[in-house]
Amino acid sequence: METNDLLKLENQLCFPLYAASRLVTKCYQPLLDELGLTYPQYLVLLVLWETDSVNLKVLSEKLQLQSNTLTPLLKRMEDTGLISRTRSEEDERSMIMALTKKGSLLKHKAPAVQSQLSNNLGISLEEAQQLHGLLYKLMGHLETK
Amino acid sequence: METNDLLKLENQLCFPLYAASRLVTKCYQPLLDELGLTYPQYLVLLVLWETDSVNLKVLSEKLQLQSNTLTPLLKRMEDTGLISRTRSEEDERSMIMALTKKGSLLKHKAPAVQSQLSNNLGISLEEAQQLHGLLYKLMGHLETK
DNA sequence: TACATTTGTATCGTGCACGATATAAAAGCA
DNA sequence: TGCTTTTATATCGTGCACGATACAAATGTA
C-alpha cells in the first residue's frame, strides 16, 4: 500500500475497532436503560453473576479496568443498590464487591438482553466466533507488551 | 449454550470488542504523546490529511462522532494550533476545519506511528484484513438500525 | 523488632462519549 | 413575503477511561 493509502481512515484497524465498539455499546444502551444500568456497570454484573464477592483487584483484571475507573463506578452501583462494598477482614486493603438482592435478581433479565442483541448484530454465528477469536488473539498479544 | 454460559464475560462479543479497542488505543498513546495528540485527535487529522477543509457534519459522519463530542475536541485542537475553525461564507451554520501549517507537517510523522503499531499488533496481515472485514460488516448492519 | 518494599485502593485532573436540549441560519411552502 | 420545518452546530450534565500520584495495610528482610 502507498503511504497515503496507509493513512486513510478506512484502511486502519484501529478505527473500525473503536467505532464498532461504540456502536455495539449504543445498541445495548436502550436495553440496559430499562434495567437502570450503564454498559460498564452491566459488565460488572456479568462478573458478579458468574462469581459473587470479588475484590477490586480481581474485577480490575477481568474487566481490564483500573481502580481509578472502577472505584467511582462501583460507588455509583452501591448508591443505586446493586452491590455492596465491604473491606475484607483478612486483608484490610482489599475491597469486596458483592451482589445485593436487587443486583442478584437482575440476572433473570439478562438473557433477554443477550438474545435481543445477538439477533441485532446481523452477522452469523460463525462470523461472530471468528471475530471473537481474532479479538482475543489481538488482546493476547498486546497484553504481554 | 446454556444460559449461564451465555452470560459469561468471555463468551460475549461485546466485551472483547470493548477491551480490544481500549487496548489498541493504549498502544497508540505513547507514540501519539510524542506528537502531542490524543487518539481521537489523531483520527481527526487522518481525515484532514486525506481531505483538508471539511465541515463538522462531514467529520461527524466519517468519525461517527456527534457535535457534542467533536466541538470541544476541535476547540482544543484549535488551541494547540493544529487546525483552524472558520464559519463558511456560503452557509453561516457550517463550521469548517482546516489544517494549519503545524497540523499539516505532522503528516510526515504519521507513517512511523502506523508502522510501529502494525508491528506491535501481533497478528498476520491476513488476520488483520479478516478482522477489518468483519468489523465493517458488523458496523454496516448496525448503522442501518 | 525496625525499616524498606510491595500491594490494593483511592484521589485528582483532563479528555472523551453521548442523551437531551438550545439556537440560529437556511430551506420549504402557503 | 410571512411562517413552519429542517439543518448545522453548540451547550449542559453525567459517566466513563486513564496517567499520575497518594496512602495505608501487608510483606519481606536485615
Side-chain angles (χ1 to χ4, degrees):
Chain A
M1 254 193 282
E2 291 213 9
T3 298
N4 262 322
D5 286 347
L6 259 176
L7 292 182
K8 279 189 183 172
L9 197 63
E10 73 257 27
N11 293 333
Q12 310 264 338
L13 194 53
C14 59
F15 175 68
L17 209 49
Y18 161 79
S21 172
R22 289 188 294 114
L23 199 53
V24 171
T25 304
K26 241 182 194 167
C27 291
Y28 267 94
Q29 209 48 65
L31 303 168
L32 294 179
D33 280 345
E34 294 179 29
L35 311 186
L37 293 172
T38 65
Y39 177 68
Q41 290 175 9
Y42 178 65
L43 293 179
V44 169
L45 289 183
L46 284 177
V47 172
L48 292 179
W49 288 333
E50 199 174 326
T51 319
D52 201 356
S53 296
V54 296
N55 63 16
L56 197 138
K57 184 180 163 55
V58 170
L59 214 48
S60 171
E61 282 163 357
K62 294 213 181 192
L63 298 177
Q64 303 276 335
L65 290 167
Q66 301 163 348
S67 65
N68 48 9
T69 299
L70 284 173
T71 297
L73 189 156
L74 294 167
K75 281 182 178 172
R76 279 187 289 273
M77 292 182 76
E78 189 183 28
D79 291 343
T80 52
L82 293 165
I83 62 167
S84 64
R85 293 166 73 248
T86 39
R87 290 276 168 193
S88 161
E89 298 207 348
E90 306 94 70
D91 187 338
E92 281 287 325
R93 293 170 305 178
S94 180
M95 181 66 86
I96 297 173
M97 267 55 70
L99 289 167
T100 59
K101 184 114 186 173
K102 181 179 173 187
S104 204
L105 286 174
L106 273 187
K107 186 177 183 180
H108 303 309
K109 302 202 174 173
V113 173
Q114 289 307 315
S115 65
Q116 277 250 27
L117 198 82
S118 46
N119 287 339
N120 280 348
L121 288 185
I123 58 174
S124 70
L125 187 58
E126 293 74 38
E127 287 171 325
Q129 284 168 350
Q130 203 177 16
L131 185 52
H132 187 276
L134 286 168
L135 291 170
Y136 269 99
K137 180 159 187 185
L138 185 62
M139 283 195 282
H141 194 270
L142 292 179
E143 274 168 24
T144 59
K145 288 276 161 184
Chain B
M1 257 193 282
E2 292 215 6
T3 299
N4 263 321
D5 286 345
L6 258 177
L7 291 182
K8 279 187 183 173
L9 196 63
E10 73 259 26
N11 293 334
Q12 310 264 338
L13 194 54
C14 59
F15 175 68
L17 210 49
Y18 162 76
S21 171
R22 288 187 296 113
L23 199 53
V24 171
T25 304
K26 243 181 191 166
C27 291
Y28 267 94
Q29 210 48 67
L31 303 169
L32 295 179
D33 280 345
E34 296 179 28
L35 311 187
L37 294 172
T38 65
Y39 177 67
Q41 289 174 9
Y42 178 65
L43 293 179
V44 169
L45 289 184
L46 283 177
V47 173
L48 292 180
W49 288 332
E50 199 173 326
T51 319
D52 200 358
S53 296
V54 296
N55 63 17
L56 198 140
K57 185 180 164 52
V58 170
L59 215 46
S60 171
E61 282 164 357
K62 293 212 179 191
L63 299 178
Q64 303 278 333
L65 290 168
Q66 300 163 349
S67 66
N68 47 8
T69 299
L70 284 174
T71 297
L73 190 156
L74 295 168
K75 280 183 179 174
R76 281 188 288 273
M77 293 181 75
E78 189 183 28
D79 289 344
T80 52
L82 293 165
I83 60 166
S84 64
R85 295 168 70 248
T86 38
R87 290 277 169 192
S88 161
E89 298 208 346
E90 304 92 71
D91 187 338
E92 279 289 323
R93 293 170 304 177
S94 180
M95 179 68 84
I96 297 173
M97 268 53 72
L99 290 166
T100 59
K101 184 112 186 177
K102 181 180 172 185
S104 203
L105 286 174
L106 273 186
K107 186 176 183 181
H108 303 310
K109 303 203 174 173
V113 173
Q114 289 308 312
S115 65
Q116 278 249 27
L117 199 84
S118 46
N119 288 337
N120 280 349
L121 288 184
I123 59 174
S124 69
L125 187 59
E126 292 74 39
E127 288 172 323
Q129 284 170 349
Q130 204 177 16
L131 185 52
H132 188 276
L134 286 168
L135 291 170
Y136 270 100
K137 180 159 186 183
L138 186 62
M139 282 195 283
H141 194 269
L142 292 179
E143 273 168 26
T144 60
K145 288 274 161 185

